[in-house]
Amino acid sequence: MFLDFKFVFFGSLITLSLIPLYIYRKEIYKRFSKKGNLKVFIKDLKAYLTYNYPKINFNFDIVEKLDEKDLLKTKQILIIEDLARQFVYFEYELSTQKGVPKEKLWSSYDQNSTLHKDNKFPIDWPQRKEAAWNREEGNCNRCGTKTKLVDANALLAKQMKNGGGFNLENVVILCNDCARIIKSQNLEKTKKDLNFLDKLMKKVSY
């Protein structure tokens, strides 16, 4: 019975002595979660964006406006949402592009480059898209990201209703995100569904 009492007594002392340590560790974790290694996160984002979207000069001015009391996750999400806004509202207009050397053109090229009355795309449109994609080395004309031919979008710089034809100078290659932005009637809604946003959100600390 005496041993049981000593066991309980000393066990209680040990437990009580561990409480301050627990509180200390919890407070340290809380502070780390709030501050975190935001610099590493931002450095990683900058490297990722420079490599994958070289034509857009993103800024990180929002970092100076973040509340220091916010958790790391909250800060990361706010930064990413601002980057998505910059991506969507990046100023860009479809314009004519450089041509393709004549030796790379095909026999029906000139014949099918002019606009027909039915406004239909020419039968060699897939060939034109591939030629324009090769000209751009698979890069999106708006943001610079690499695209696969199957995923690339080929848009006309000058629309058919305005007299635009199917000559390669009038064909612009865009990634799926940029094509959706160009065609969007509601940029705020479009912003939420972009691959760009999904990819960056995967970098958030959970």
Side-chain angles (χ1 to χ4, degrees):
M1 189 71 176
F2 180 70
L3 288 176
D4 290 341
F5 174 78
K6 287 181 65 178
F7 178 79
V8 172
F9 177 74
F10 286 110
S12 299
L13 286 178
I14 294 173
T15 302
L16 289 172
S17 66
L18 290 175
I19 291 177
L21 178 61
Y22 172 77
I23 295 174
Y24 174 76
R25 289 186 62 185
K26 189 175 182 181
E27 186 64 25
I28 289 296
Y29 175 77
K30 186 187 297 183
R31 290 182 181 180
F32 177 78
S33 297
K34 284 183 177 179
K35 295 182 179 179
N37 206 335
L38 193 62
K39 289 184 178 180
V40 173
F41 174 73
I42 293 173
K43 183 178 180 181
D44 177 54
L45 278 182
K46 286 182 177 179
Y48 175 82
L49 294 172
T50 300
Y51 180 79
N52 290 285
Y53 305 94
K55 289 193 174 183
I56 301 181
N57 185 24
F58 293 94
N59 72 67
F60 287 77
D61 295 344
I62 189 176
V63 176
E64 303 299 325
K65 303 175 184 177
L66 297 176
D67 191 332
E68 292 185 1
K69 297 179 182 178
D70 285 339
L71 296 175
L72 175 60
K73 177 181 174 182
T74 301
K75 293 178 181 178
Q76 290 174 333
I77 292 175
L78 289 173
I79 291 172
I80 288 173
E81 287 179 345
D82 185 70
L83 293 172
R85 178 191 59 77
Q86 293 181 53
F87 182 75
V88 168
Y89 290 99
F90 173 66
E91 291 187 10
Y92 171 84
E93 290 185 8
L94 291 170
S95 59
T96 53
Q97 304 298 306
K98 61 183 180 181
V100 172
K102 289 185 177 180
E103 59 269 19
K104 293 186 177 181
L105 302 179
W106 47 99
S107 59
S108 62
Y109 174 78
D110 288 331
Q111 177 185 350
N112 291 328
S113 290
T114 56
L115 179 64
H116 300 289
K117 293 181 180 179
D118 55 11
N119 282 351
K120 289 183 179 180
F121 279 67
I123 192 170
D124 61 356
W125 177 249
Q127 194 171 355
R128 291 170 186 271
K129 173 184 174 181
E130 184 173 1
W133 181 81
N134 284 327
R135 177 194 65 200
E136 300 300 324
E137 299 180 341
N139 299 319
C140 172
N141 188 262
R142 180 178 182 269
C143 70
T145 194
K146 287 285 184 182
T147 64
K148 294 180 180 179
L149 177 59
V150 68
D151 297 326
N153 288 259
L155 275 62
L156 298 180
K158 187 177 182 181
Q159 300 304 306
M160 290 186 287
K161 63 182 180 181
N162 297 322
F166 303 111
N167 53 304
L168 287 173
E169 292 85 355
N170 198 39
V171 179
V172 182
I173 296 298
L174 297 176
C175 67
N176 188 51
D177 276 350
C178 288
R180 292 178 66 185
I181 291 170
I182 292 295
K183 299 175 182 178
S184 177
Q185 299 297 319
N186 187 335
L187 289 177
E188 285 302 312
K189 183 178 180 181
T190 301
K191 181 176 68 174
K192 299 176 183 177
D193 299 324
L194 295 178
N195 293 324
F196 176 88
L197 184 60
D198 289 339
K199 290 175 181 177
L200 291 193
M201 280 299 183
K202 291 179 180 178
K203 297 180 177 294
V204 173
S205 302
Y206 286 97

